[in-house]
Amino acid sequence: LARLAESRDQDTGDHLNRMRKFSYMIAKRLAKTKTYKGYIDKKYVNNIYHSSPLHDIGKVGISDTILLKPGKLTLDEFELMKNHTVIGGKTLEDAEKQLKYKTKSFLAMGKNIAYCHHEKWDGSGYPFGLKGTEIPLSARIVALADVYDALTSKRVYKDAISHEVAKDMIVQGRNKHFDPQIVDTFLMLEHIFKETNYKSNV
Protein backbone atom coordinates (compact mmCIF):
# COMPACT_ATOMS: atom_id res chain seq x y z
CA LEU A 1 0.00 0.00 0.00
CA ALA A 2 2.78 2.40 0.91
CA ARG A 3 4.49 1.71 -2.41
CA LEU A 4 1.40 2.99 -4.22
CA ALA A 5 2.36 6.47 -3.06
CA GLU A 6 6.05 5.75 -3.67
CA SER A 7 5.32 4.88 -7.30
CA ARG A 8 4.08 8.43 -7.92
CA ASP A 9 7.14 10.22 -6.61
CA GLN A 10 10.73 8.95 -6.73
CA ASP A 11 11.59 10.80 -3.49
CA THR A 12 8.90 9.01 -1.47
CA GLY A 13 10.66 5.68 -0.83
CA ASP A 14 13.54 7.09 1.24
CA HIS A 15 11.12 9.48 2.94
CA LEU A 16 8.93 6.57 4.09
CA ASN A 17 11.89 4.70 5.57
CA ARG A 18 13.21 7.75 7.44
CA MET A 19 9.91 8.97 8.85
CA ARG A 20 9.05 5.39 9.89
CA LYS A 21 12.29 5.31 11.90
CA PHE A 22 11.59 8.75 13.39
CA SER A 23 8.03 7.81 14.38
CA TYR A 24 9.23 4.56 15.96
CA MET A 25 11.91 6.36 17.98
CA ILE A 26 9.50 8.99 19.28
CA ALA A 27 6.93 6.36 20.30
CA LYS A 28 9.57 4.29 22.13
CA ARG A 29 10.77 7.32 24.09
CA LEU A 30 7.22 8.47 24.90
CA ALA A 31 6.47 4.98 26.26
CA LYS A 32 8.91 5.73 29.10
CA THR A 33 7.13 8.93 30.17
CA LYS A 34 4.63 9.21 33.00
CA THR A 35 1.97 10.42 30.54
CA TYR A 36 2.08 7.41 28.22
CA LYS A 37 3.57 4.59 30.29
CA GLY A 38 1.07 1.75 30.01
CA TYR A 39 -0.69 3.33 27.03
CA ILE A 40 2.19 2.99 24.57
CA ASP A 41 3.12 -0.69 24.79
CA LYS A 42 5.20 -2.95 22.55
CA LYS A 43 2.24 -3.55 20.21
CA TYR A 44 1.65 0.20 19.86
CA VAL A 45 5.30 0.79 18.95
CA ASN A 46 5.24 -2.05 16.41
CA ASN A 47 1.97 -0.79 14.95
CA ILE A 48 3.32 2.72 14.42
CA TYR A 49 6.39 1.24 12.71
CA HIS A 50 4.16 -0.65 10.26
CA SER A 51 1.44 1.97 9.82
CA SER A 52 3.37 5.25 9.57
CA PRO A 53 4.43 4.62 5.93
CA LEU A 54 0.72 4.58 5.02
CA HIS A 55 0.25 8.25 5.92
CA ASP A 56 0.29 9.51 2.33
CA ILE A 57 -1.31 6.66 0.37
CA GLY A 58 -4.18 9.00 -0.49
CA LYS A 59 -1.81 10.85 -2.82
CA VAL A 60 -2.51 8.18 -5.45
CA GLY A 61 -5.80 10.03 -5.92
CA ILE A 62 -4.11 13.39 -6.57
CA SER A 63 -3.30 14.55 -10.10
CA ASP A 64 0.37 14.60 -11.18
CA THR A 65 -0.05 18.23 -12.22
CA ILE A 66 -0.51 19.02 -8.52
CA LEU A 67 1.53 16.29 -6.84
CA LEU A 68 4.66 16.85 -8.95
CA LYS A 69 4.30 20.59 -9.58
CA PRO A 70 7.77 22.23 -9.46
CA GLY A 71 6.62 25.28 -7.51
CA LYS A 72 4.16 26.60 -4.99
CA LEU A 73 0.56 25.38 -5.28
CA THR A 74 -2.26 27.84 -5.88
CA LEU A 75 -4.99 28.03 -3.23
CA ASP A 76 -7.29 25.90 -5.40
CA GLU A 77 -4.54 23.33 -5.98
CA PHE A 78 -3.80 23.19 -2.27
CA GLU A 79 -7.48 22.52 -1.52
CA LEU A 80 -7.33 19.56 -3.90
CA MET A 81 -4.08 18.35 -2.34
CA LYS A 82 -5.75 18.32 1.09
CA ASN A 83 -8.05 15.56 -0.19
CA HIS A 84 -5.23 13.01 0.08
CA THR A 85 -5.91 12.75 3.82
CA VAL A 86 -9.54 11.75 3.32
CA ILE A 87 -8.78 9.46 0.36
CA GLY A 88 -6.11 7.61 2.36
CA GLY A 89 -8.09 7.47 5.58
CA LYS A 90 -11.22 6.18 3.86
CA THR A 91 -9.23 3.52 1.97
CA LEU A 92 -7.71 2.15 5.17
CA GLU A 93 -11.01 2.42 7.01
CA ASP A 94 -12.70 0.29 4.33
CA ALA A 95 -9.85 -2.25 4.41
CA GLU A 96 -10.07 -2.47 8.20
CA LYS A 97 -13.82 -3.13 8.05
CA GLN A 98 -13.45 -5.87 5.44
CA LEU A 99 -10.73 -7.68 7.38
CA LYS A 100 -12.87 -7.63 10.57
CA TYR A 101 -10.01 -7.68 13.07
CA LYS A 102 -11.06 -8.73 16.57
CA THR A 103 -8.44 -6.46 18.13
CA LYS A 104 -6.99 -3.11 17.14
CA SER A 105 -4.75 -3.62 14.11
CA PHE A 106 -2.03 -1.55 12.54
CA LEU A 107 -4.63 -0.61 9.90
CA ALA A 108 -6.74 1.08 12.58
CA MET A 109 -3.72 3.16 13.52
CA GLY A 110 -2.87 3.69 9.84
CA LYS A 111 -6.38 5.03 9.24
CA ASN A 112 -6.00 7.57 12.07
CA ILE A 113 -2.59 8.62 10.76
CA ALA A 114 -3.77 9.00 7.16
CA TYR A 115 -6.77 11.07 8.18
CA CYS A 116 -5.07 13.22 10.82
CA HIS A 117 -1.34 13.70 10.14
CA HIS A 118 -2.04 17.25 8.87
CA GLU A 119 -4.10 18.25 11.89
CA LYS A 120 -2.41 20.81 14.16
CA TRP A 121 -2.26 21.12 17.94
CA ASP A 122 -3.94 24.56 17.85
CA GLY A 123 -6.82 23.35 15.66
CA SER A 124 -5.73 25.09 12.45
CA GLY A 125 -4.96 21.89 10.50
CA TYR A 126 -7.03 19.75 8.14
CA PRO A 127 -9.23 17.92 7.20
CA PHE A 128 -11.31 18.06 10.41
CA GLY A 129 -9.82 20.97 12.36
CA LEU A 130 -9.11 18.75 15.39
CA LYS A 131 -7.32 20.32 18.35
CA GLY A 132 -4.94 19.07 21.03
CA THR A 133 -5.62 15.56 22.24
CA GLU A 134 -8.63 15.28 19.91
CA ILE A 135 -5.93 14.35 17.37
CA PRO A 136 -4.93 10.67 17.70
CA LEU A 137 -1.53 10.32 19.36
CA SER A 138 -0.18 8.27 16.44
CA ALA A 139 -1.03 11.11 14.04
CA ARG A 140 0.60 13.67 16.34
CA ILE A 141 3.80 11.61 16.36
CA VAL A 142 3.82 11.12 12.59
CA ALA A 143 3.06 14.81 12.01
CA LEU A 144 6.40 15.83 13.52
CA ALA A 145 8.35 12.98 11.89
CA ASP A 146 6.82 13.80 8.51
CA VAL A 147 7.45 17.55 8.73
CA TYR A 148 11.04 17.12 9.89
CA ASP A 149 11.88 14.82 7.00
CA ALA A 150 10.03 16.99 4.48
CA LEU A 151 11.96 20.06 5.63
CA THR A 152 15.37 18.37 5.48
CA SER A 153 14.79 16.64 2.12
CA LYS A 154 15.08 18.01 -1.40
CA ARG A 155 11.78 17.87 -3.28
CA VAL A 156 10.71 18.76 -6.80
CA TYR A 157 9.32 22.04 -5.47
CA LYS A 158 12.04 23.01 -2.94
CA ASP A 159 15.61 22.55 -1.69
CA ALA A 160 16.50 20.80 1.56
CA ILE A 161 17.17 22.86 4.68
CA SER A 162 19.62 22.04 7.47
CA HIS A 163 18.83 20.10 10.63
CA GLU A 164 19.40 23.23 12.69
CA VAL A 165 16.90 25.33 10.72
CA ALA A 166 14.34 22.49 10.74
CA LYS A 167 14.81 22.11 14.50
CA ASP A 168 14.17 25.83 15.04
CA MET A 169 11.01 25.66 12.93
CA ILE A 170 9.72 22.67 14.91
CA VAL A 171 10.45 24.40 18.21
CA GLN A 172 8.59 27.47 16.95
CA GLY A 173 5.66 25.18 16.14
CA ARG A 174 5.45 23.88 19.72
CA ASN A 175 1.88 24.34 21.03
CA LYS A 176 0.82 25.54 17.56
CA HIS A 177 1.51 22.88 14.96
CA PHE A 178 2.90 20.19 17.27
CA ASP A 179 2.08 18.49 20.56
CA PRO A 180 4.52 20.12 23.03
CA GLN A 181 5.48 16.80 24.64
CA ILE A 182 6.34 15.34 21.23
CA VAL A 183 8.51 18.38 20.46
CA ASP A 184 10.31 17.85 23.78
CA THR A 185 10.83 14.19 22.87
CA PHE A 186 12.20 15.19 19.46
CA LEU A 187 14.74 17.45 21.18
CA MET A 188 15.91 14.53 23.33
CA LEU A 189 16.43 12.47 20.16
CA GLU A 190 17.63 15.19 17.79
CA HIS A 191 21.16 13.76 17.49
CA ILE A 192 19.66 10.59 15.98
CA PHE A 193 17.45 12.62 13.64
CA LYS A 194 20.48 14.63 12.53
CA GLU A 195 22.62 11.52 12.00
CA THR A 196 19.87 9.77 9.99
CA ASN A 197 19.39 12.86 7.86
CA TYR A 198 23.14 13.22 7.26
CA LYS A 199 23.57 9.58 6.20
CA SER A 200 20.68 9.92 3.74
CA ASN A 201 22.29 12.88 2.01
CA VAL A 202 25.89 11.71 1.59
Side-chain angles (χ1 to χ4, degrees), residues 156-176:
V156 67
Y157 53 87
K158 72 168 195 68
D159 290 327
I161 63 174
S162 70
H163 166 82
E164 287 72 22
V165 174
K167 170 188 169 181
D168 288 345
M169 292 175 71
I170 286 171
V171 170
Q172 290 170 19
R174 191 179 187 276
N175 280 316
K176 299 173 185 175

Side-chain angles (χ1 to χ4, degrees), residues 74-88:
T74 66
L75 290 177
D76 287 343
E77 288 170 337
F78 184 57
E79 287 302 312
L80 291 172
M81 176 64 94
K82 287 181 180 180
N83 290 334
H84 82 274
T85 56
V86 176
I87 295 168

Side-chain angles (χ1 to χ4, degrees), residues 62-168:
I62 304 299
S63 167
D64 278 350
T65 58
I66 294 174
L67 191 63
L68 303 179
K69 182 179 178 180
K72 189 174 181 179
L73 299 179
T74 66
L75 290 177
D76 287 343
E77 288 170 337
F78 184 57
E79 287 302 312
L80 291 172
M81 176 64 94
K82 287 181 180 180
N83 290 334
H84 82 274
T85 56
V86 176
I87 295 168
K90 187 68 169 64
T91 299
L92 294 175
E93 187 172 2
D94 290 347
E96 181 193 14
K97 287 176 181 176
Q98 289 184 40
L99 291 171
K100 297 179 181 177
Y101 283 108
K102 293 180 180 178
T103 58
K104 285 282 187 179
S105 73
F106 80 96
L107 283 180
M109 183 181 284
K111 169 192 68 180
N112 287 336
I113 291 170
Y115 272 131
C116 300
H117 67 286
H118 283 292
E119 299 287 356
K120 296 183 179 180
W121 186 253
D122 65 3
S124 65
Y126 64 88
F128 307 122
L130 300 179
K131 184 177 182 180
T133 56
E134 294 173 350
I135 307 164
L137 175 62
S138 56
R140 298 185 334 247
I141 292 171
V142 169
L144 189 147
D146 186 36
V147 167
Y148 174 82
D149 193 67
L151 289 172
T152 55
S153 301
K154 182 177 174 60
R155 298 288 174 84
V156 67
Y157 53 87
K158 72 168 195 68
D159 290 327
I161 63 174
S162 70
H163 166 82
E164 287 72 22
V165 174
K167 170 188 169 181
D168 288 345

